[in-house]
Amino acid sequence: MGLTKSEIFTDEQNEIAAIAKVLGHPARIAILDYIIKLKSCVCGDLVKEIGLAQPTISQHLKELKKVGILKGTIEGTSVCYCIDDENWKEINNKLSKFLSKNPTESCC
Amino acid sequence: MGLTKSEIFTDEQNEIAAIAKVLGHPARIAILDYIIKLKSCVCGDLVKEIGLAQPTISQHLKELKKVGILKGTIEGTSVCYCIDDENWKEINNKLSKFLSKNPTESCC
DNA sequence: CCACTTAATCGTAATATTACAATAAATAAA
DNA sequence: TTTATTTATTGTAATATTACGATTAAGTGG
């Protein structure tokens, strides 16, 4: 046990969950907040800005990249992380679609 | 280690993450899908509908209740779970607000 | 009261996540 | 080449999550 039974859910359910899961950590929200605020790429000052060790930030960035929210381009010795606008839109659509599913009136 | 350093993030960041975290499991998405689809309360047939053991479903329901997405009312020997419409709206707003933060043009 | 049904809780095993020190890899600058 | 600088990776400890069997709790019907 301890392992999610993905096989019993639909692809859509697994996908929504996977996206939400990545957004389910304050460090990753903070990283996105920071990158979005600067409106441009950000490199290793995330480590200074957010109070976490460099390997930890690197790990979080990796997860954000894995679901496609971020993309990183190497710039000399540092790496520039940005929002992947296309994917962000798609992710936004998918989550919004899910969130707008609610019936107006629940029974209890 | 292994414990999230919530203190170093803003309340808003922690809140968004907490909501997303709960949505970050396909079983909980499936539960919500089912409850929303029926447009009315659902009791223990979630256990039949979704292929997970009763204690597991119960655990997931508890987490959905914890962040306020669901509310459960006892009906005789069974329990009726519904979307908490007020909270759902608020959660929708908070997530939508976060997702609409993205600048139109990223740098890389 | 006694069986039955339904859901919550407890205990626990398996796995995942979070965080970081240590180290490696890769480029830049001297 | 050597030395910084920057980021990724590896290894690992602490904690959290997921899932479920066993049990408990609480109501229903006989």
Side-chain angles (χ1 to χ4, degrees):
Chain A
M1 291 123 219
L3 130 160
T4 298
K5 290 186 165 179
S6 317
E7 335 82 65
I8 67 174
F9 305 108
T10 68
D11 287 351
E12 202 186 326
Q13 287 165 345
N14 280 313
E15 200 181 1
I16 296 269
I19 294 166
K21 191 176 188 177
V22 170
L23 296 178
H25 194 287
R28 292 192 286 268
I29 297 295
I31 288 172
L32 292 175
D33 272 348
Y34 190 68
I35 292 182
I36 288 169
K37 197 179 67 184
L38 292 199
K39 265 186 170 168
S40 66
C41 304
V42 174
C43 328
D45 22 37
L46 282 165
V47 176
K48 288 174 221 151
E49 182 69 15
I50 302 169
L52 290 172
Q54 180 268 318
T56 309
I57 296 290
S58 199
Q59 213 172 351
H60 284 306
L61 287 168
K62 197 177 174 184
E63 294 197 62
L64 286 164
K65 245 192 337 188
K66 208 174 58 187
V67 292
I69 297 181
L70 290 186
K71 51 185 174 181
T73 49
I74 299 166
E75 267 188 13
T77 167
S78 62
V79 176
C80 173
Y81 278 101
C82 321
I83 304 284
D84 186 322
D85 292 327
E86 276 306 303
N87 287 343
W88 178 277
K89 248 179 263 172
E90 218 175 303
I91 283 169
N92 191 344
N93 284 344
K94 274 171 190 161
L95 281 185
S96 296
K97 191 180 153 204
F98 175 76
L99 290 167
S100 59
K101 267 185 185 173
N102 182 35
T104 9
E105 202 72 31
S106 288
C107 75
C108 51
Chain B
M1 290 126 214
L3 131 162
T4 299
K5 290 187 163 179
S6 317
E7 335 81 64
I8 67 174
F9 306 108
T10 68
D11 286 352
E12 204 187 324
Q13 286 165 346
N14 281 313
E15 201 182 0
I16 297 268
I19 295 166
K21 191 176 188 177
V22 169
L23 296 178
H25 194 287
R28 293 193 285 269
I29 298 295
I31 288 173
L32 292 174
D33 272 348
Y34 191 68
I35 292 182
I36 288 169
K37 195 178 69 183
L38 292 197
K39 266 189 170 166
S40 65
C41 304
V42 174
C43 329
D45 22 37
L46 281 165
V47 176
K48 287 174 222 151
E49 182 68 17
I50 302 169
L52 291 172
Q54 180 266 319
T56 308
I57 296 290
S58 201
Q59 212 171 350
H60 284 306
L61 287 169
K62 197 177 173 183
E63 295 197 62
L64 286 164
K65 246 191 338 188
K66 208 173 57 187
V67 292
I69 297 181
L70 291 185
K71 52 186 174 180
T73 50
I74 299 166
E75 268 188 12
T77 166
S78 63
V79 175
C80 173
Y81 279 100
C82 321
I83 304 282
D84 185 322
D85 291 325
E86 276 306 304
N87 287 344
W88 178 276
K89 249 180 262 174
E90 218 174 305
I91 282 169
N92 191 344
N93 285 344
K94 274 171 191 161
L95 281 185
S96 297
K97 191 181 151 203
F98 174 75
L99 291 168
S100 58
K101 267 186 187 172
N102 182 34
T104 8
E105 202 72 29
S106 287
C107 75
C108 47

